[in-house]
Amino acid sequence: MTTLPASTNRKMGLVIDLDTCVGCHACVVSCKGWNTENYGAPLSDQDPYGADPTGTFLNRVHSYEVQPLATSAMPHPAAQLVHFPKSCLHCEDAPCVTVCPTGASYKRVEDGIVLVNETDCIGCGLCAWACPYGAREMDAAEGVMKKCTLCVDRIYNDNLPEEDRVPACVRTCPAGARHFGDLGDPDSDVSRLVADRGGMDLMPEQGTKPVNKYLPPRPRDTLDEVDILAPLLAPVAEEPKGFLGWLDRTLERL
Amino acid sequence: MHPAPSVIAFTTLSGAGFGLLFWLGLGLPDVTGWVAFAFFAVAYALAAGGLMASTFHLGHPERAWKAFSQWRSSWLSREGVASVAALVVMGVYGAGLVLFDTRLALLGGAGAALALATVFTTSMIYAQLRSVPRWQTPLTPALFLALSLAGGALLAGQITTAMALLLVAGLLQGMWWKRGDGAFAASGTDMATATGLGGIGQVRAFAPPHTGGNYLLREFVFVVGRKHAAKLRIIALALGFALPLVLLALPFSHAAAALAALSHLAGIAVSRWLFFAEAEHVVGLYYGAR
């Protein structure tokens, strides 16, 4: 049924630290790898070695340049480069779910994960139209809608070692910029992280109530002494003294 | 938004077809026998033909029947239910007219209501989407209903009604365009809210996720043809509304009426192309394309 549950027992989701992400795209690669080899239709590529390669991805990393406004204290502030991973936000009020005509899209009551039942999907694409974040992509080979499953086939998988029971993107992130947990529990690690760092929603005005949160980048440090070698490079003696001073003055007079 | 030809054909043709069914259901014109057969054949060709065209863009058309199940939440599902109900009810009503020279007025009224309900559900598929600010307005269902009623009246040969409705629909079309041009800016969604980085400063897309294209860019970040939007709007207004009004104002002839109907459909198809091609999806912001 594509009506949304009134509430979910847990709100499993991701917290993405924009201060820490280095933009390496390892999460993109591990996501594509895991989700091609496991649950559901593989994430296909079209013309992968040709002139115009495209493909299905559940996670993409954008990069934005943010130019702070000039102030009297900081007349020429440096622009900040922010790497910005984006995948399904598993919204509480997910517009993609309610538009589905077949019941293929649903939000789970037990953990809030938004999934697509691929055997019911007719590939009409309306859920991708309804999503403001571009989280859903139609697979061109399979003709069904693909989206982030929060690695539902990893996080409850008893066959995996316990440290691997997190989404592939979280497990692979070399910078520790991605965190996984229950955002419905105010005492969970991820909830405390969101509270401490001022975690934010994307496009809050769209009314989707995303579960995933983003931690804003911290302001860049401003150092008083920019060049730490400068003191060592100053001239040792401005004016020669002693014998060299006498020699210098004498030679000047000649 | 990508203007898929199948969806443009569907909304244009089935809109006119269900509009014609609405007037036939009310007994306008009050026809029976072979004449009724001809009217119903045109209406079903447009309405059902349009519905068939809409399945061409599905990834799995063989599962389309599953789309009747989610009418509680989905406007697309409601459209499927309403359209089949309208076609079945009007089929029984039409059979009475064609085969038995009997007009079942109550059934016709119900069929007319279902035909309008179908057009309304179609329009709500677009009007419900907050992600496309140009579409999210009560003017969208108003415009779709007015166009369907005007096109239907034109096909049903209701000259004075058609002329009045063409004027109303043309006015709504102008209002819809005027509102639509400022809708994205008025929506409150911009680079700052999309990235959440607006508090730091001006946000600019620096590098896209991939060097190649993708489904999102093909489907939602369609930009070709916008530069001709003003010319196409004039063409849509001229073919869809002005020319049919002139032709209807002339002394009646079947050739002029047929030309008016064809011109109207062509104009509406152009307007529907713009409906998609000009619609900006907010996901374009992530790609710096708005």
Side-chain angles (χ1 to χ4, degrees), chain A residues 25 51-54 60, chain B residues 207-214 217:
Chain A
H25 291 238
D52 186 22
T54 65
R60 293 179 185 267
Chain B
H210 293 80
T211 50
N214 64 35
L217 290 168

Side-chain angles (χ1 to χ4, degrees), chain A residues 102-164:
Chain A
T102 67
S105 279
Y106 60 104
K107 185 171 175 69
R108 308 207 318 174
V109 177
E110 60 267 40
D111 50 18
I113 299 178
V114 176
L115 289 176
V116 175
N117 180 351
E118 291 176 5
T119 56
D120 279 349
C121 177
I122 57 174
C124 69
L126 189 56
C127 53
W129 289 22
C131 173
Y133 307 106
R136 289 173 170 244
E137 298 190 17
M138 181 100 74
D139 188 82
E142 200 68 27
V144 296
M145 198 54 73
K146 299 296 296 184
K147 68 175 296 301
C148 162
T149 66
L150 216 58
C151 283
V152 72
D153 49 351
R154 285 176 69 98
I155 58 178
Y156 303 119
N157 193 337
D158 293 337
N159 296 319
L160 296 176
E162 195 168 349
E163 64 268 28
D164 285 339

Side-chain angles (χ1 to χ4, degrees), chain A residues 22-79:
Chain A
V22 296
C24 70
H25 291 238
C27 55
V28 177
V29 176
S30 65
C31 168
K32 178 112 176 173
W34 178 266
N35 288 292
T36 288
E37 292 154 15
N38 294 281
Y39 167 85
L43 303 174
S44 70
D45 291 317
Q46 281 69 44
D47 196 17
Y49 304 105
D52 186 22
T54 65
T56 312
F57 287 81
L58 310 183
N59 178 30
R60 293 179 185 267
V61 180
H62 297 252
S63 296
Y64 298 104
E65 185 189 72
V66 193
Q67 177 63 59
L69 283 175
T71 59
S72 52
M74 183 75 78
H76 300 292

Side-chain angles (χ1 to χ4, degrees), chain A residues 182-199:
Chain A
D182 180 7
L183 287 144
D185 171 7
D187 294 326
S188 68
D189 287 350
V190 284
S191 292
R192 279 185 299 190
L193 195 54
V194 169
D196 289 351
R197 295 276 308 280

